[in-house]
Amino acid sequence: MFERFYKVDKSRSNRMGITGLGLSIVKHLVVLLKGEIKVKSKLDKGTIFHITLPFR
């Protein structure tokens, strides 16, 4: 889920040029800051991302 996303099928591309880097960047920043990221997901309900960063 946190790895880079590549679109292979050109019919699924969108005009905005989205590359699927968002979650990968977030994960790397959280790790760099010595934090933690958790994901809870329920089918047809949604997904919750919980990010904890240390207080310095």
Side-chain angles (χ1 to χ4, degrees), residues 3-52:
E3 298 305 316
R4 292 178 74 174
F5 175 76
Y6 296 98
K7 293 181 181 177
V8 179
D9 184 355
K10 290 188 183 215
S11 69
R12 294 185 179 264
S13 67
N14 80 30
R15 295 177 194 141
M16 296 177 68
I18 296 172
T19 59
L21 291 172
L23 288 176
S24 179
I25 291 170
V26 169
K27 178 195 168 211
H28 284 90
L29 286 172
V30 169
V31 169
L32 181 69
L33 295 171
K34 301 192 184 332
E36 182 178 43
I37 187 167
K38 295 179 182 178
V39 180
K40 289 184 180 180
S41 186
K42 291 186 179 179
L43 188 60
D44 295 327
K45 295 288 184 181
T47 303
I48 297 173
F49 292 86
H50 184 86
I51 299 170
T52 306

